[in-house]
Amino acid sequence: MSSLFVDRLLLSFNNVKHRLETLSNLCHIYRNASPVSDDNLDESDRFNGPYLSDIEELEKSIEQISVLIENLQHEQNSTADCREFLNYPLCKNGWTLKDIEQLEEEQYLNLDILNQLSLHTINEDDTQFNEQEHNYVDTNSSLTCDTNNNLLNLPPELLLHICSFISPFELLTNLAPTCQYFANFILTRVYSHLDLSKIISVFDITHLLSYLSYLRSIKFIDWENDISILTWAIWFERIARTTSDLHTIRFHNVLISPILICLIIEYFPHCLQTIIFDSQQNKTYEKFDLVLALLADNKIQLKNITASYQLGITSFGIFELVSNLNTIVELNLLYIEAFDDETIKILCDKHNKHLEILRIDGTQLSDKALEYINYCRKIRSITIEVCTNMTGSNFSIFQNFCNLKELCLSKLTIIPLESFQLLFNRKHIFEHLIVLKLDECHSIDDNCIQAIITMCPHLIDLTCSWAYNLTDDSFNVIVKQCRYLRRLSLLGCHQIFGFILKDVPEKYFHTIEYLNFEQCNQIEDHILYDLYKRKKSISIYNYYGFSIEDDE
């Protein structure tokens, strides 16, 4: 008898195979248009892509998914008598056809799973209740004063309201394990975020995912190469059948593969809006061009992409991504040298009405790129690093973003002082700017800092590192006039002595929470120690980058 679950898996795997074959054909077209082997590519050629090794990776993935399809079909078509002998593990995680078919049977949640899960870190910030976003309390409900009433007798709406005053961790640790009713209620009505690491077996995780009907975001942590493609498919299938509102997936130290990306597109085309690939601490996937090209699907709702510090990205992958996605609201591709002016033009031409957050590496960018970005008037956060080809002659463009909250211009070692004077020219007040980071902007001087503080009156976070011309005049202005500042980093500013810190926080800097004076060799440690003793809630870092603490 055919299993509906196995039929759904086979359909998904065939769709994945088709996506991989389509991308492989596209890569061959690009390679044939510019036939150069990877070994002969110079630095300028490497931005074109795709690599020959990418095509080989796709071919391996196609072969891998084909074998999995064949094995599933072979097991499914076996007679009942043969299954006892042929029902062998289909992947390294030990799934057999019998295990997969049993997933369709209704099972009670094992409360021991909750005890293991309670040891796990829960992101409480992402799991806050808002009464207006959930079922409201029915004030017409007839509640008697019977002393025999308990929590189990309360209407679900009122119980949900009570749970809104309890942290998710306490709900999971203390209330959920008490009985099957509360376990189901909390998982299906409360649990919106899950940080999923190696806490329980892949089988228990599969069962748990079937209950998280309120799940909105999930983070996979430290799985590396431990999860098979079949397991990913089973997990995603469970999530997709349980909730239609999963909007965020994040990977941290997880081995990425083309098949994994195809499965995400297959199972979450109508709900997934954000995908985040953290920089890998251990094994790094070196074919990230394929990831961007596969995510470039106009049938999905993806709007926010973070893939900074990944390897193997060329202009091919970026071009496919920005050309084919319907809407890009946030794009984080720092330390990716493949960005050039033409790619920025394509991005801004198509997404200028939607783009709000842009963080890119500026190695290949010129002043022309800023002219294209100028059409994206909804931008509220922009980061451009390593602008070796920029002069900053049109930095005044940043004044056109009326919603700008965060501006980060990093490692602009050759940008002249005049460009920053043009940006903060006392003709435009950045009313909404709360984060300003000018990292390795060597030309900035005291007068420029004075203009910055005047034109940016609501700063909360300010970084001005390796600005060799800054003196105590600048520092005193910052301390006295930045009323809302919480974080300040002046790394490498070696002409600052910091004597005004003796009046902090009694007279100035009442809201300060973080001070970084690394490589500021004129600020003596005893000044920092005295400040820490007066306000121990401040995180202070000295010349050596060490935190000032009690034992020091």
Side-chain angles (χ1 to χ4, degrees):
M1 180 178 178
S2 176
S3 165
L4 293 178
F5 190 11
V6 176
D7 288 341
R8 293 197 300 269
L9 287 176
L10 285 170
L11 177 61
S12 298
F13 290 148
N14 278 297
N15 290 339
V16 166
K17 182 179 179 181
H18 174 70
R19 281 193 174 89
L20 294 173
E21 290 172 340
T22 300
L23 180 58
S24 179
N25 292 335
L26 181 63
C27 288
H28 277 292
I29 293 174
Y30 271 82
R31 292 291 301 186
N32 291 335
S34 180
V36 182
S37 66
D38 289 357
D39 295 336
N40 295 327
L41 289 176
D42 60 27
E43 286 303 311
S44 59
D45 291 327
R46 286 191 178 276
F47 298 121
N48 297 324
Y51 297 158
L52 180 60
S53 56
D54 290 346
I55 298 177
E56 295 172 350
E57 175 86 356
L58 283 173
E59 292 173 349
K60 291 179 182 178
S61 298
I62 294 170
E63 181 180 358
Q64 183 181 359
I65 198 70
S66 299
V67 171
L68 183 55
I69 292 172
E70 183 180 347
N71 289 341
L72 269 177
Q73 289 176 333
H74 184 264
E75 282 285 284
Q76 188 181 40
N77 295 332
S78 301
T79 63
D81 294 337
C82 295
R83 282 196 178 183
E84 293 185 16
F85 303 98
L86 296 178
N87 203 335
Y88 56 88
L90 295 166
C91 65
K92 61 185 175 184
N93 295 129
W95 287 102
T96 66
L97 187 64
K98 181 179 180 181
D99 295 328
I100 297 174
E101 291 174 342
Q102 287 179 342
L103 289 175
E104 291 192 293
E105 300 177 7
E106 185 63 30
Q107 303 177 40
Y108 287 104
L109 180 64
N110 184 350
L111 297 184
D112 291 336
I113 297 178
L114 294 178
N115 293 328
Q116 298 177 60
L117 192 61
S118 65
L119 301 176
H120 193 54
T121 302
I122 299 176
N123 187 341
E124 297 188 24
D125 292 336
D126 290 341
T127 320
Q128 297 296 332
F129 286 96
N130 185 327
E131 185 177 344
Q132 296 178 349
E133 296 178 358
H134 299 277
N135 295 331
Y136 62 90
V137 179
D138 186 359
T139 55
N140 296 321
S141 298
S142 57
L143 297 177
T144 68
C145 296
D146 188 347
T147 55
N148 291 325
N149 276 346
N150 56 41
L151 286 175
L152 295 175
N153 301 124
L154 295 177
E157 295 84 1
L158 185 56
L159 185 57
L160 186 63
H161 182 66
I162 293 173
C163 288
S164 70
F165 296 96
I166 306 174
S167 73
F169 183 79
E170 291 175 324
L171 287 174
L172 185 65
T173 305
N174 300 325
L175 186 58
T178 59
C179 67
Q180 193 73 42
Y181 176 82
F182 280 129
N184 290 340
F185 181 85
I186 290 172
L187 289 176
T188 59
R189 302 289 293 274
V190 173
Y191 219 89
S192 65
H193 174 80
L194 178 63
D195 284 342
L196 194 59
S197 60
K198 302 174 185 178
I199 49 174
I200 50 181
S201 73
V202 296
F203 303 101
D204 286 337
I205 288 175
T206 305
H207 191 45
L208 174 67
L209 293 175
S210 300
Y211 286 82
L212 302 178
S213 58
Y214 188 62
L215 190 65
R216 301 295 181 268
S217 65
I218 188 168
K219 181 179 180 181
F220 298 97
I221 305 173
D222 295 333
W223 286 101
E224 297 179 354
N225 196 26
D226 298 323
I227 302 301
S228 68
I229 293 301
L230 180 57
T231 301
W232 283 118
I234 292 172
W235 284 0
F236 290 162
E237 201 274 348
R238 294 288 86 181
I239 296 173
R241 287 180 62 82
T242 304
T243 178
S244 60
D245 296 320
L246 183 74
H247 58 66
T248 301
I249 296 179
R250 184 168 190 166
F251 294 103
H252 182 84
N253 284 341
V254 174
L255 183 63
I256 306 301
S257 72
I259 298 178
L260 173 59
I261 302 302
C262 290
L263 288 173
I264 291 174
I265 299 171
E266 178 68 19
Y267 285 105
F268 310 109
H270 304 300
C271 60
L272 186 66
Q273 298 184 15
T274 301
I275 190 164
I276 302 171
F277 302 96
D278 290 340
S279 56
Q280 304 298 298
Q281 297 176 357
N282 300 321
K283 297 178 180 179
T284 301
Y285 182 64
E286 299 181 353
K287 311 293 182 187
F288 235 83
D289 226 27
L290 300 179
V291 173
L292 298 186
L294 289 167
L295 289 174
D297 192 318
N298 58 15
K299 297 179 181 179
I300 63 176
Q301 301 301 312
L302 192 62
K303 299 178 181 179
N304 311 303
I305 305 99
T306 295
S308 296
Y309 306 100
Q310 306 298 339
L311 300 180
I313 294 180
T314 71
S315 56
F316 166 75
I318 298 176
F319 173 82
E320 289 297 308
L321 184 74
V322 301
S323 299
N324 292 304
L325 280 183
N326 292 322
T327 303
I328 296 181
V329 175
E330 177 177 357
L331 185 62
N332 299 301
L333 290 177
L334 287 172
Y335 206 70
I336 308 299
E337 297 182 350
F339 259 108
D340 55 23
D341 290 348
E342 185 60 28
T343 310
I344 290 293
K345 184 180 187 303
I346 296 170
L347 169 68
C348 297
D349 282 347
K350 182 169 184 178
H351 304 284
N352 61 80
K353 294 182 179 180
H354 312 286
L355 191 63
E356 297 180 10
I357 300 175
L358 179 63
R359 299 187 178 102
I360 56 175
D361 192 295
T363 302
Q364 302 299 311
L365 303 182
S366 71
D367 294 324
K368 196 69 178 178
L370 290 183
E371 296 180 15
Y372 301 138
I373 295 174
N374 188 37
Y375 291 102
C376 304
R377 294 302 178 85
K378 285 192 174 183
I379 282 185
R380 53 186 174 87
S381 176
I382 184 167
T383 298
I384 299 179
E385 292 191 350
V386 199
C387 304
T388 54
N389 292 324
M390 278 188 182
T391 67
S393 60
N394 55 358
F395 268 10
S396 59
I397 283 174
F398 295 119
Q399 298 177 357
N400 297 329
F401 305 129
C402 58
N403 297 318
L404 191 63
K405 292 184 177 181
E406 180 177 357
L407 175 61
C408 302
L409 303 175
S410 179
K411 300 179 181 179
L412 310 183
T413 56
I414 63 172
I415 300 294
L417 175 61
E418 292 75 18
S419 296
F420 294 104
Q421 292 173 334
L422 181 68
L423 175 57
F424 304 102
N425 59 9
R426 300 181 184 269
K427 296 180 180 179
H428 174 81
I429 296 178
F430 292 89
E431 286 285 352
H432 303 289
L433 192 68
I434 59 176
V435 178
L436 177 62
K437 296 186 178 182
L438 304 173
D439 187 19
E440 296 189 36
C441 301
H442 301 325
S443 63
I444 292 177
D445 62 6
D446 289 340
N447 291 331
C448 189
I449 288 294
Q450 177 66 69
I452 289 173
I453 301 309
T454 303
M455 297 296 102
C456 308
H458 300 110
L459 286 178
I460 292 176
D461 188 341
L462 173 62
T463 295
C464 191
S465 64
W466 302 107
Y468 304 124
N469 298 320
L470 297 190
T471 68
D472 270 338
D473 290 342
S474 297
F475 187 54
N476 294 345
V477 169
I478 294 172
V479 173
K480 290 180 179 180
Q481 297 186 22
C482 292
R483 298 171 51 195
Y484 308 104
L485 204 64
R486 298 178 190 172
R487 297 176 61 87
L488 174 64
S489 179
L490 295 174
L491 186 148
C493 299
H494 56 75
Q495 294 193 59
I496 294 177
F497 291 82
F499 297 127
I500 198 173
L501 290 174
K502 296 177 181 179
D503 293 326
V504 174
E506 290 77 14
K507 293 179 63 175
Y508 313 113
F509 259 12
H510 303 301
T511 59
I512 199 68
E513 299 172 358
Y514 173 91
L515 290 169
N516 185 359
F517 298 113
E518 189 175 352
Q519 298 296 313
C520 296
N521 58 347
Q522 301 295 345
I523 299 180
E524 298 181 4
D525 279 356
H526 72 84
I527 296 178
L528 305 182
Y529 293 143
D530 290 342
L531 172 57
Y532 180 76
K533 290 178 181 179
R534 296 194 302 276
K535 188 175 182 180
K536 293 188 176 181
S537 60
I538 306 179
S539 297
I540 308 174
Y541 293 86
N542 64 10
Y543 171 83
Y544 299 101
F546 296 148
S547 175
I548 303 296
E549 298 177 352
D550 285 332
D551 56 357
E552 298 184 34

